[in-house]
């Protein structure tokens, strides 16, 4: 018997006041917002972006039918304004091991948006994409991302020493958090007011 290799086929995810839409050519109008995200000092500090062209960034985070990536624009449902982005990719697709990351515009921070978007993308990856394990890594000093991981039910598994080069050009230790498809679903608070 041959097991089917998992794959991503992103679909819109409706969270009520927030909506996640798969990145693709139809969302190129959000290129100025992506440029704001990648230029943001806090984002650059913890998530250095190597792509300077926001349209290329959007298309690079679109699936393209390969099942390799699931990138979502995080939008305000009422205004359709871009709040941020959340995405998944496969470090080990054959083994069902995915990774998740997120970035928010400053005006979207502190409202539970990253937590809710990450939780929704994680739930979707487990139920619709066949992920068995999803990892979330962040610099040890990035306490906001640590809180998102905790709230989304990603327990801390350890520290990866000098694991990733961040915006300051130095290699930082990272926290490794992970969830398994068999872990209980976290209890999240409702939409932030």
């Amino acid at each position: 018997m041959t097991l089917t290799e998992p794959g991503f086929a992103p679909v819109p995810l409706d969270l009520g006041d927030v909506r996640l839409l798969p990145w693709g050519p139809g969302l190129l109008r959000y290129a100025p917002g992506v440029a704001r995200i990648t230029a943001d000092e806090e984002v650059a500090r913890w998530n250095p972006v190597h792509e300077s062209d926001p349209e290329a960034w959007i298309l690079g985070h679109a699936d393209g039918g390969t099942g390799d990536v699931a990138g979502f624009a995080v939008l305000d449902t009422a205004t359709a304004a871009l709040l941020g982005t959340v995405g998944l990719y496969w470090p080990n697709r054959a083994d069902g091991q995915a990774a998740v990351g997120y970035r928010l515009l400053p005006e979207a921070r502190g409202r539970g948006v990253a937590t809710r978007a990450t939780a929704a993308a994680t739930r979707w990856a487990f139920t619709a994409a066949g992920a068995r394990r999803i990892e979330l890594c962040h610099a040890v000093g990035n306490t906001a991302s640590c809180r998102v991981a905790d709230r989304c039910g990603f327990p801390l598994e350890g520290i990866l020493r000098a694991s990733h080069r961040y915006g300051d050009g130095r290699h930082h230790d990272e926290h490794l958090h992970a969830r398994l498809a068999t872990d209980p679903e976290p209890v999240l608070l409702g939409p932030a007011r």
Side-chain angles (χ1 to χ4, degrees):
M1 178 169 125
T2 305
L3 295 176
T4 303
E5 190 173 281
F8 293 130
V11 297
L13 302 173
D14 188 352
L15 309 182
D17 62 330
V18 174
R19 186 167 181 178
L20 278 59
L21 291 182
W23 283 116
L27 297 184
L28 289 174
R29 67 186 176 275
Y30 290 110
V34 169
R36 282 188 58 225
I37 291 171
T38 59
D40 180 74
E41 186 176 302
E42 193 69 10
V43 170
R45 179 179 178 198
W46 299 120
N47 298 288
V49 178
H50 305 290
E51 180 61 63
S52 60
D53 178 354
E55 289 186 2
W57 187 95
I58 288 170
L59 296 175
H61 286 80
D63 173 54
T66 64
D68 292 335
V69 66
F72 297 92
V74 180
L75 306 174
D76 181 288
T77 300
T79 66
L82 182 67
L83 302 174
T85 182
V86 63
L88 297 121
Y89 71 94
W90 299 107
N92 189 339
R93 184 174 175 176
D95 195 32
Q97 181 182 334
V100 66
Y102 42 85
R103 297 176 175 124
L104 291 182
L105 284 164
E107 60 268 23
R109 296 180 193 141
R111 299 173 23 200
V113 173
T115 297
R116 294 174 54 237
T118 301
T122 298
R123 187 170 37 258
W124 170 82
F126 284 141
T127 60
R132 146 192 99 69
R133 174 184 167 87
I134 301 176
E135 295 182 350
L136 188 161
C137 291
H138 63 82
V140 170
N142 187 345
T143 57
S145 279
C146 206
R147 286 190 302 270
V148 170
D150 290 340
R151 290 178 188 141
C152 289
F154 284 77
L156 178 64
E157 292 188 341
I159 296 176
L160 305 170
R161 296 178 308 136
S163 175
H164 187 76
R165 186 186 312 268
Y166 280 86
D168 61 4
R170 295 182 17 243
H171 285 90
H172 286 257
D173 293 351
E174 290 186 303
H175 280 167
L176 168 62
H177 299 261
R179 273 195 61 197
L180 302 177
T182 55
D183 286 344
E185 188 69 24
V187 176
L188 300 176
L189 300 175
R193 301 282 180 224

